[in-house]
Amino acid sequence: TEERAREGLRAALADGATRPRAVAVLTAVFVQQSEWRAALELLEVRLDVAPTTDARVAALLEAAVWAEQRCADVAFAYGCVERAFLLVPEREELEHDLVRLAGEADRWAAAADAFAKAAAGCATGDGRALLPRLRFAEAQIRDAHTGEAAAALGLYRQVVEAEPSRVDAADAAVRVALGLQRWTDAAEVMVLHGRAAGRLSRAHVALAEAVPEEVAWDALTAALTDALARSAPLDPAITRDLEERVALWHRDRRRDEAAAEAAFQRALAHAPDDASLLGALAELQRRHRGRPLIDSLVRLSRVTGGDLDLLREAGEVALAVGDRAEARAILERTLELASQRWQDDGGEGGPIRRG
C-alpha cells in the first residue's frame, strides 16, 4: 500500500547509501499529494544530501516558495531565504527577497544580522567587492527598521569611504549624522563626497539648512571649517563651494560677519575672478569702508567688464582713508573707461578731457 511505501522510504532515509534517492522520491510524493508541510519537514535531509552549494540553494529556495505560497508561513520562508543568501550573497535577487520577507515576517533584526554575517564572510579576497552593497543594505535596515541610527551611520560612512561618489550612501550618511548631531561626521562626508563629485551636493546643503536647532550652526560651521582644513588638497572648484557655504552660514546663520568675510576671502583664493564671491565680500566690507573694500571693488569692476559705479565708489573710499594717490589712479581709470565707452557709442569731439 501507499502507506507501507512511505514507511519504507522513511526507513531508507537512515541508510546513507539510499538516503539521497529516498528523500527525493519522498519529497516528490508529498508535493504530488499537496502535503506541503510534510515536504518542508524533509528540508534538512535534502540539504544534508545535496552535493553542491547550488543544490543546497535550490532546495532552500524551493522550500521558501512552498512555505510562503502553500503554507502561508512567511517566517519559515524567511529562514530559508536567509540561509540561501548566506551561501551565495553575490546573488542580488536573494537580497531583495530577504528584505521583502523580513518585512512580512517582522524579522528586521535578523535580516540586519544576516547582512553583517555576509559582509564578514566577504572581508577578504574577491568578496571584498560585495562589501559596499552588503553594508549599505544593513545600514538601511538599522536606519529605518531597528532604531540603530548610530550603527547605521557607521555603515553608511564605510560605504562612502569605499565609494565616495555614491550619492545614496552619502545622502543617507549626512542625514543620519545631522539627526544624531554628529556634526563632524556630517562635515567629513560632505567634503569626501564633494571631492569625488567635483562639487558640493545641493542635497547636503538642504539637509544641513533644515536642521532646526539654532545651536547647531556654531558646531556645524566649525566642523565643516575643520574638515576642510584637515582634508587632503581638493580641486579648487569644490574648495570654493565649501568655503562659500561656510561663509554663508557664518553670515546668515551665525551673524558673524568677520568670520564670513574671512571665509569669502578663502573661497576667493581658489576662484579669484568669481563675481558672486567678490560681490558678497564687498557687501560685508562696506561695514568699515577701508582698504580691503577698495581692493574688492576694483577687482569686482574688472571681472564685471569695468563697472563705473564700482570704480567711483572705490575712489570715494580711497579719498575717505586718505590715499590720494590710489584715489587719483582709480579716477583716471574711471575716466578712461567712460571715454572709451562714449566713443564706442558714437560720441564726437574726441575723448573726455581730464579737468
Side-chain angles (χ1 to χ4, degrees), residues 2 30 41 43 55 98 146 150 159 163 180 217 242 248-250 262 299 311 315 337 350 352-353:
E2 180 178 336
F30 288 148
E41 290 172 357
L43 176 60
L98 182 69
T146 65
V159 177
E163 299 179 348
L180 292 170
W217 288 104
L242 288 164
L248 292 173
W249 288 350
H250 278 308
R299 290 168 66 187
L311 285 177
L337 286 171
I352 298 173
R353 298 182 180 276

PDB file of all heavy atoms in Angstrom, residues 2 30 41 43 55 98 146 150 159 163 180 217 242 248-250 262 299 311 315 337 350 352-353:
ATOM      1  N   GLU A   2       0.214   2.378  -0.254  1.00  0.00           N
ATOM      2  CA  GLU A   2       0.969   3.644  -0.309  1.00  0.00           C
ATOM      3  C   GLU A   2       1.614   3.951   1.035  1.00  0.00           C
ATOM      4  O   GLU A   2       2.756   4.430   1.091  1.00  0.00           O
ATOM      5  CB  GLU A   2       0.034   4.785  -0.710  1.00  0.00           C
ATOM      6  CG  GLU A   2       0.744   6.135  -0.801  1.00  0.00           C
ATOM      7  CD  GLU A   2      -0.177   7.240  -1.243  1.00  0.00           C
ATOM      8  OE1 GLU A   2      -1.200   6.954  -1.908  1.00  0.00           O
ATOM      9  OE2 GLU A   2       0.134   8.402  -0.924  1.00  0.00           O
ATOM     10  N   PHE A  30       5.138  13.820  -1.524  1.00  0.00           N
ATOM     11  CA  PHE A  30       4.446  14.819  -0.706  1.00  0.00           C
ATOM     12  C   PHE A  30       3.985  16.004  -1.567  1.00  0.00           C
ATOM     13  O   PHE A  30       2.890  16.536  -1.378  1.00  0.00           O
ATOM     14  CB  PHE A  30       5.368  15.308   0.415  1.00  0.00           C
ATOM     15  CG  PHE A  30       5.598  14.300   1.500  1.00  0.00           C
ATOM     16  CD1 PHE A  30       6.810  14.238   2.188  1.00  0.00           C
ATOM     17  CD2 PHE A  30       4.598  13.402   1.860  1.00  0.00           C
ATOM     18  CE1 PHE A  30       7.014  13.320   3.194  1.00  0.00           C
ATOM     19  CE2 PHE A  30       4.804  12.458   2.875  1.00  0.00           C
ATOM     20  CZ  PHE A  30       6.016  12.421   3.534  1.00  0.00           C
ATOM     21  N   GLU A  41       9.261  19.390   6.071  1.00  0.00           N
ATOM     22  CA  GLU A  41       9.944  18.685   7.162  1.00  0.00           C
ATOM     23  C   GLU A  41      11.140  17.877   6.667  1.00  0.00           C
ATOM     24  O   GLU A  41      11.991  17.476   7.467  1.00  0.00           O
ATOM     25  CB  GLU A  41       8.951  17.778   7.887  1.00  0.00           C
ATOM     26  CG  GLU A  41       7.914  18.567   8.700  1.00  0.00           C
ATOM     27  CD  GLU A  41       6.820  17.685   9.255  1.00  0.00           C
ATOM     28  OE1 GLU A  41       6.841  16.456   8.959  1.00  0.00           O
ATOM     29  OE2 GLU A  41       5.949  18.194   9.981  1.00  0.00           O
ATOM     30  N   LEU A  43      13.347  19.126   4.608  1.00  0.00           N
ATOM     31  CA  LEU A  43      14.350  20.077   4.102  1.00  0.00           C
ATOM     32  C   LEU A  43      15.747  19.774   4.637  1.00  0.00           C
ATOM     33  O   LEU A  43      16.719  19.774   3.871  1.00  0.00           O
ATOM     34  CB  LEU A  43      13.952  21.511   4.469  1.00  0.00           C
ATOM     35  CG  LEU A  43      14.971  22.595   4.085  1.00  0.00           C
ATOM     36  CD1 LEU A  43      15.217  22.600   2.581  1.00  0.00           C
ATOM     37  CD2 LEU A  43      14.505  23.957   4.570  1.00  0.00           C
ATOM     38  N   ALA A  55      23.018  23.191  -5.294  1.00  0.00           N
ATOM     39  CA  ALA A  55      21.919  22.282  -4.982  1.00  0.00           C
ATOM     40  C   ALA A  55      21.280  22.639  -3.641  1.00  0.00           C
ATOM     41  O   ALA A  55      20.050  22.585  -3.485  1.00  0.00           O
ATOM     42  CB  ALA A  55      22.425  20.839  -4.957  1.00  0.00           C
ATOM     43  N   LEU A  98      15.105  38.609   0.655  1.00  0.00           N
ATOM     44  CA  LEU A  98      15.385  38.632   2.087  1.00  0.00           C
ATOM     45  C   LEU A  98      14.739  39.862   2.739  1.00  0.00           C
ATOM     46  O   LEU A  98      14.082  39.756   3.783  1.00  0.00           O
ATOM     47  CB  LEU A  98      16.900  38.642   2.321  1.00  0.00           C
ATOM     48  CG  LEU A  98      17.361  38.619   3.779  1.00  0.00           C
ATOM     49  CD1 LEU A  98      17.045  37.278   4.416  1.00  0.00           C
ATOM     50  CD2 LEU A  98      18.857  38.908   3.870  1.00  0.00           C
ATOM     51  N   THR A 146      15.251  49.144  12.754  1.00  0.00           N
ATOM     52  CA  THR A 146      15.620  48.619  14.075  1.00  0.00           C
ATOM     53  C   THR A 146      16.027  49.714  15.056  1.00  0.00           C
ATOM     54  O   THR A 146      16.432  49.410  16.172  1.00  0.00           O
ATOM     55  CB  THR A 146      16.767  47.586  13.957  1.00  0.00           C
ATOM     56  OG1 THR A 146      17.949  48.241  13.469  1.00  0.00           O
ATOM     57  CG2 THR A 146      16.382  46.443  13.032  1.00  0.00           C
ATOM     58  N   ALA A 150      23.006  55.114  15.106  1.00  0.00           N
ATOM     59  CA  ALA A 150      24.469  55.241  15.223  1.00  0.00           C
ATOM     60  C   ALA A 150      25.182  54.135  14.450  1.00  0.00           C
ATOM     61  O   ALA A 150      26.180  54.379  13.760  1.00  0.00           O
ATOM     62  CB  ALA A 150      24.875  55.215  16.688  1.00  0.00           C
ATOM     63  N   VAL A 159      30.605  52.769   3.502  1.00  0.00           N
ATOM     64  CA  VAL A 159      30.254  52.710   2.079  1.00  0.00           C
ATOM     65  C   VAL A 159      30.787  53.943   1.364  1.00  0.00           C
ATOM     66  O   VAL A 159      31.374  53.846   0.272  1.00  0.00           O
ATOM     67  CB  VAL A 159      28.728  52.597   1.897  1.00  0.00           C
ATOM     68  CG1 VAL A 159      28.374  52.612   0.407  1.00  0.00           C
ATOM     69  CG2 VAL A 159      28.205  51.324   2.540  1.00  0.00           C
ATOM     70  N   GLU A 163      33.241  54.051  -1.696  1.00  0.00           N
ATOM     71  CA  GLU A 163      32.700  54.569  -2.958  1.00  0.00           C
ATOM     72  C   GLU A 163      32.249  56.013  -2.733  1.00  0.00           C
ATOM     73  O   GLU A 163      31.051  56.295  -2.619  1.00  0.00           O
ATOM     74  CB  GLU A 163      31.530  53.703  -3.431  1.00  0.00           C
ATOM     75  CG  GLU A 163      31.917  52.252  -3.709  1.00  0.00           C
ATOM     76  CD  GLU A 163      30.725  51.402  -4.148  1.00  0.00           C
ATOM     77  OE1 GLU A 163      29.561  51.857  -4.021  1.00  0.00           O
ATOM     78  OE2 GLU A 163      30.958  50.271  -4.628  1.00  0.00           O
ATOM     79  N   LEU A 180      21.658  62.871  14.440  1.00  0.00           N
ATOM     80  CA  LEU A 180      22.327  62.494  15.691  1.00  0.00           C
ATOM     81  C   LEU A 180      23.174  63.626  16.264  1.00  0.00           C
ATOM     82  O   LEU A 180      23.828  63.441  17.284  1.00  0.00           O
ATOM     83  CB  LEU A 180      23.231  61.279  15.444  1.00  0.00           C
ATOM     84  CG  LEU A 180      22.533  59.958  15.118  1.00  0.00           C
ATOM     85  CD1 LEU A 180      23.555  58.918  14.665  1.00  0.00           C
ATOM     86  CD2 LEU A 180      21.763  59.440  16.328  1.00  0.00           C
ATOM     87  N   TRP A 217      24.360  75.608  14.498  1.00  0.00           N
ATOM     88  CA  TRP A 217      25.126  76.314  13.474  1.00  0.00           C
ATOM     89  C   TRP A 217      26.563  76.594  13.895  1.00  0.00           C
ATOM     90  O   TRP A 217      27.467  76.531  13.067  1.00  0.00           O
ATOM     91  CB  TRP A 217      24.390  77.591  13.064  1.00  0.00           C
ATOM     92  CG  TRP A 217      23.195  77.196  12.267  1.00  0.00           C
ATOM     93  CD1 TRP A 217      21.899  77.172  12.660  1.00  0.00           C
ATOM     94  CD2 TRP A 217      23.225  76.630  10.953  1.00  0.00           C
ATOM     95  NE1 TRP A 217      21.104  76.651  11.665  1.00  0.00           N
ATOM     96  CE2 TRP A 217      21.882  76.314  10.606  1.00  0.00           C
ATOM     97  CE3 TRP A 217      24.233  76.369  10.027  1.00  0.00           C
ATOM     98  CZ2 TRP A 217      21.544  75.748   9.386  1.00  0.00           C
ATOM     99  CZ3 TRP A 217      23.889  75.813   8.808  1.00  0.00           C
ATOM    100  CH2 TRP A 217      22.563  75.509   8.505  1.00  0.00           C
ATOM    101  N   LEU A 242      32.745  74.846  -0.922  1.00  0.00           N
ATOM    102  CA  LEU A 242      32.677  74.559   0.503  1.00  0.00           C
ATOM    103  C   LEU A 242      32.973  75.805   1.340  1.00  0.00           C
ATOM    104  O   LEU A 242      32.283  76.076   2.330  1.00  0.00           O
ATOM    105  CB  LEU A 242      33.647  73.429   0.855  1.00  0.00           C
ATOM    106  CG  LEU A 242      33.224  72.033   0.374  1.00  0.00           C
ATOM    107  CD1 LEU A 242      34.400  71.080   0.413  1.00  0.00           C
ATOM    108  CD2 LEU A 242      32.083  71.494   1.225  1.00  0.00           C
ATOM    109  N   LEU A 248      28.564  81.652   4.007  1.00  0.00           N
ATOM    110  CA  LEU A 248      27.129  81.938   4.062  1.00  0.00           C
ATOM    111  C   LEU A 248      26.539  81.540   5.407  1.00  0.00           C
ATOM    112  O   LEU A 248      25.667  82.236   5.949  1.00  0.00           O
ATOM    113  CB  LEU A 248      26.407  81.213   2.922  1.00  0.00           C
ATOM    114  CG  LEU A 248      26.725  81.724   1.508  1.00  0.00           C
ATOM    115  CD1 LEU A 248      26.086  80.816   0.463  1.00  0.00           C
ATOM    116  CD2 LEU A 248      26.236  83.153   1.332  1.00  0.00           C
ATOM    117  N   TRP A 249      26.982  80.417   5.962  1.00  0.00           N
ATOM    118  CA  TRP A 249      26.478  80.004   7.274  1.00  0.00           C
ATOM    119  C   TRP A 249      26.939  80.977   8.359  1.00  0.00           C
ATOM    120  O   TRP A 249      26.180  81.300   9.267  1.00  0.00           O
ATOM    121  CB  TRP A 249      26.927  78.587   7.589  1.00  0.00           C
ATOM    122  CG  TRP A 249      26.209  77.544   6.778  1.00  0.00           C
ATOM    123  CD1 TRP A 249      25.113  77.741   5.983  1.00  0.00           C
ATOM    124  CD2 TRP A 249      26.522  76.155   6.696  1.00  0.00           C
ATOM    125  NE1 TRP A 249      24.734  76.553   5.403  1.00  0.00           N
ATOM    126  CE2 TRP A 249      25.572  75.565   5.827  1.00  0.00           C
ATOM    127  CE3 TRP A 249      27.508  75.351   7.252  1.00  0.00           C
ATOM    128  CZ2 TRP A 249      25.586  74.209   5.515  1.00  0.00           C
ATOM    129  CZ3 TRP A 249      27.520  74.005   6.947  1.00  0.00           C
ATOM    130  CH2 TRP A 249      26.572  73.432   6.086  1.00  0.00           C
ATOM    131  N   HIS A 250      28.190  81.441   8.260  1.00  0.00           N
ATOM    132  CA  HIS A 250      28.654  82.453   9.220  1.00  0.00           C
ATOM    133  C   HIS A 250      27.799  83.723   9.104  1.00  0.00           C
ATOM    134  O   HIS A 250      27.388  84.297  10.115  1.00  0.00           O
ATOM    135  CB  HIS A 250      30.112  82.807   8.946  1.00  0.00           C
ATOM    136  CG  HIS A 250      31.107  81.852   9.531  1.00  0.00           C
ATOM    137  ND1 HIS A 250      31.103  81.480  10.861  1.00  0.00           N
ATOM    138  CD2 HIS A 250      32.165  81.204   8.957  1.00  0.00           C
ATOM    139  CE1 HIS A 250      32.103  80.645  11.092  1.00  0.00           C
ATOM    140  NE2 HIS A 250      32.759  80.458   9.955  1.00  0.00           N
ATOM    141  N   ALA A 262      36.228  86.368   6.333  1.00  0.00           N
ATOM    142  CA  ALA A 262      37.431  85.543   6.211  1.00  0.00           C
ATOM    143  C   ALA A 262      37.172  84.333   5.320  1.00  0.00           C
ATOM    144  O   ALA A 262      38.028  83.942   4.511  1.00  0.00           O
ATOM    145  CB  ALA A 262      37.889  85.092   7.593  1.00  0.00           C
ATOM    146  N   ARG A 299      38.540  94.945  -8.096  1.00  0.00           N
ATOM    147  CA  ARG A 299      38.529  93.600  -8.696  1.00  0.00           C
ATOM    148  C   ARG A 299      37.153  93.270  -9.265  1.00  0.00           C
ATOM    149  O   ARG A 299      37.039  92.732 -10.370  1.00  0.00           O
ATOM    150  CB  ARG A 299      38.917  92.554  -7.650  1.00  0.00           C
ATOM    151  CG  ARG A 299      40.365  92.607  -7.230  1.00  0.00           C
ATOM    152  CD  ARG A 299      40.611  91.746  -6.006  1.00  0.00           C
ATOM    153  NE  ARG A 299      40.406  90.328  -6.285  1.00  0.00           N
ATOM    154  CZ  ARG A 299      40.422  89.392  -5.344  1.00  0.00           C
ATOM    155  NH1 ARG A 299      40.607  89.724  -4.072  1.00  0.00           N
ATOM    156  NH2 ARG A 299      40.232  88.118  -5.666  1.00  0.00           N
ATOM    157  N   LEU A 311      33.909 101.515  -9.551  1.00  0.00           N
ATOM    158  CA  LEU A 311      35.159 102.268  -9.515  1.00  0.00           C
ATOM    159  C   LEU A 311      34.970 103.613  -8.822  1.00  0.00           C
ATOM    160  O   LEU A 311      35.832 104.058  -8.049  1.00  0.00           O
ATOM    161  CB  LEU A 311      35.668 102.489 -10.946  1.00  0.00           C
ATOM    162  CG  LEU A 311      36.295 101.279 -11.635  1.00  0.00           C
ATOM    163  CD1 LEU A 311      36.674 101.623 -13.061  1.00  0.00           C
ATOM    164  CD2 LEU A 311      37.521 100.792 -10.859  1.00  0.00           C
ATOM    165  N   GLY A 315      36.987 104.851  -5.529  1.00  0.00           N
ATOM    166  CA  GLY A 315      37.691 106.124  -5.418  1.00  0.00           C
ATOM    167  C   GLY A 315      37.258 106.924  -4.210  1.00  0.00           C
ATOM    168  O   GLY A 315      38.086 107.533  -3.515  1.00  0.00           O
ATOM    169  N   LEU A 337      37.773 104.546 -18.960  1.00  0.00           N
ATOM    170  CA  LEU A 337      36.693 103.646 -19.374  1.00  0.00           C
ATOM    171  C   LEU A 337      35.490 104.417 -19.893  1.00  0.00           C
ATOM    172  O   LEU A 337      34.872 104.045 -20.903  1.00  0.00           O
ATOM    173  CB  LEU A 337      36.274 102.765 -18.196  1.00  0.00           C
ATOM    174  CG  LEU A 337      37.212 101.636 -17.802  1.00  0.00           C
ATOM    175  CD1 LEU A 337      36.763 100.999 -16.496  1.00  0.00           C
ATOM    176  CD2 LEU A 337      37.255 100.575 -18.913  1.00  0.00           C
ATOM    177  N   GLY A 350      36.234 113.768 -29.675  1.00  0.00           N
ATOM    178  CA  GLY A 350      37.389 113.192 -29.028  1.00  0.00           C
ATOM    179  C   GLY A 350      37.094 112.727 -27.620  1.00  0.00           C
ATOM    180  O   GLY A 350      35.959 112.813 -27.152  1.00  0.00           O
ATOM    181  N   ILE A 352      36.952 112.278 -23.500  1.00  0.00           N
ATOM    182  CA  ILE A 352      36.655 113.173 -22.399  1.00  0.00           C
ATOM    183  C   ILE A 352      37.963 113.697 -21.820  1.00  0.00           C
ATOM    184  O   ILE A 352      38.914 112.947 -21.618  1.00  0.00           O
ATOM    185  CB  ILE A 352      35.867 112.429 -21.309  1.00  0.00           C
ATOM    186  CG1 ILE A 352      34.525 111.953 -21.877  1.00  0.00           C
ATOM    187  CG2 ILE A 352      35.648 113.293 -20.080  1.00  0.00           C
ATOM    188  CD1 ILE A 352      33.745 111.068 -20.945  1.00  0.00           C
ATOM    189  N   ARG A 353      38.008 115.012 -21.594  1.00  0.00           N
ATOM    190  CA  ARG A 353      39.253 115.596 -21.061  1.00  0.00           C
ATOM    191  C   ARG A 353      39.252 115.594 -19.554  1.00  0.00           C
ATOM    192  O   ARG A 353      38.235 115.794 -18.906  1.00  0.00           O
ATOM    193  CB  ARG A 353      39.411 117.047 -21.562  1.00  0.00           C
ATOM    194  CG  ARG A 353      39.518 117.122 -23.092  1.00  0.00           C
ATOM    195  CD  ARG A 353      39.734 118.581 -23.533  1.00  0.00           C
ATOM    196  NE  ARG A 353      39.841 118.658 -24.974  1.00  0.00           N
ATOM    197  CZ  ARG A 353      40.960 118.442 -25.646  1.00  0.00           C
ATOM    198  NH1 ARG A 353      42.052 118.108 -24.992  1.00  0.00           N
ATOM    199  NH2 ARG A 353      40.986 118.519 -26.956  1.00  0.00           N
TER     200      ARG A 353
END
